[in-house]
Amino acid sequence: MIRFAYQFLPYMKLVFATNNPNKLAEVQKMLPSTIQLLSLKDIDCFDDIEETANTLEGNAQLKANYITQKFGHDCFADDTGLEVESLHNAPGVFSARYAGLENDSEKNMQKLLSELNDKPNRKAQFRTAISLNLQSKHFVFEGICKGEILSKKQGKKGFGYDPVFKPEGSNKSFAEMTSEDKNKISHRGKAIQQLVQFLMNYKK
């Protein structure tokens, strides 16, 4: 599990603007006890926050701004995309709805595998952008994990495209890793590490 010297990090509450319980649990494991992470449910936000930007950074900022402006909380939000080299970095910002608006992970993976069926180049990267609104200031963090798309699903852990993505330097897909091992190298893990390091040094 990712740990830093958190004893100097001041106690604070932060909203993580997501309705995805998998992402929430994953991020909670990476944060110190001095940060109380609140979900959208915790602040009674059941709104459907539209992600209408054409970049990951833009979508993350839309979500963080919505919570800060409507509920008055310090907040961070993320958006993640899978960028496949031979598909001109698709599905990218449309990763969650690649096969349709229903955000069906199985259909997304099957469409991706079909698109890559005749392509020898299977290089890809996951990229996460985090937008943080803290005390009326705005900050952005980014994490990237390079790898390749497998020819078929491997593993049953994780979520999203994890069963078909194998990171560089590993013989396992994300879906075959423990959450602890995945967090050490993943795009979201790297972005969260930057966020936490920033908070450790943040001066009010």
Side-chain angles (χ1 to χ4, degrees):
M1 190 176 295
I2 299 170
R3 289 295 182 214
F4 298 102
Y6 291 131
Q7 61 267 34
F8 302 112
L9 185 58
Y11 179 81
M12 65 176 69
K13 290 184 179 181
L14 279 176
V15 174
F16 181 20
T18 183
N19 284 311
N20 187 321
N22 295 301
K23 284 167 57 171
L24 185 66
E26 195 173 89
V27 172
Q28 281 179 326
K29 291 179 180 179
M30 291 185 275
L31 290 175
S33 59
T34 49
I35 294 179
Q36 182 182 356
L37 188 63
L38 303 175
S39 67
L40 292 178
K41 182 179 179 181
D42 290 330
I43 63 170
D44 295 321
C45 176
F46 303 98
D47 303 348
D48 184 15
I49 307 173
E50 293 188 9
E51 300 179 19
T52 55
N54 57 8
T55 65
L56 299 176
E57 294 82 1
N59 277 335
Q61 186 172 348
L62 279 174
K63 290 184 284 186
N65 287 350
Y66 184 91
I67 298 304
T68 298
Q69 292 166 8
K70 184 170 182 177
F71 295 88
H73 291 291
D74 286 335
C75 173
F76 71 91
D78 81 317
D79 197 24
T80 293
L82 176 64
E83 300 172 339
V84 182
E85 188 173 282
S86 63
L87 299 180
H88 308 288
N89 289 334
V93 72
F94 302 108
S95 293
R97 51 193 186 277
Y98 191 39
L101 296 178
E102 64 270 26
N103 293 8
D104 188 308
S105 294
E106 183 62 32
K107 289 181 180 179
N108 288 338
M109 282 188 286
Q110 292 306 321
K111 179 177 179 179
L112 178 64
L113 294 178
S114 176
E115 294 283 350
L116 289 175
N117 191 45
D118 61 347
K119 292 180 170 56
N121 178 8
R122 304 180 76 88
K123 291 181 181 179
Q125 66 178 24
F126 269 119
R127 188 164 67 87
T128 289
I130 290 178
S131 177
L132 169 67
N133 288 339
L134 184 62
Q135 298 172 350
S136 302
K137 297 178 182 178
H138 177 247
F139 308 93
V140 177
F141 310 92
E142 181 186 72
I144 292 175
C145 181
K146 295 183 179 295
E148 64 179 90
I149 304 301
L150 298 167
S151 59
K152 61 181 180 180
K153 295 192 296 181
Q154 292 181 195
K156 297 183 178 181
K157 301 186 183 75
F159 56 95
Y161 294 92
D162 285 358
V164 297
F165 182 82
K166 182 171 72 71
E168 283 184 352
S170 175
N171 59 2
K172 295 181 179 180
S173 74
F174 268 164
E176 294 175 297
M177 296 180 176
T178 64
S179 59
E180 181 177 282
D181 287 340
K182 177 187 172 184
N183 288 342
K184 291 177 182 177
I185 63 171
S186 76
H187 44 294
R188 187 171 293 107
K190 292 175 180 177
I192 291 293
Q193 287 179 50
Q194 291 180 39
L195 171 67
V196 173
Q197 290 282 29
F198 170 81
L199 293 172
M200 286 175 64
N201 296 297
Y202 184 73
K203 304 297 183 182
K204 294 185 179 181

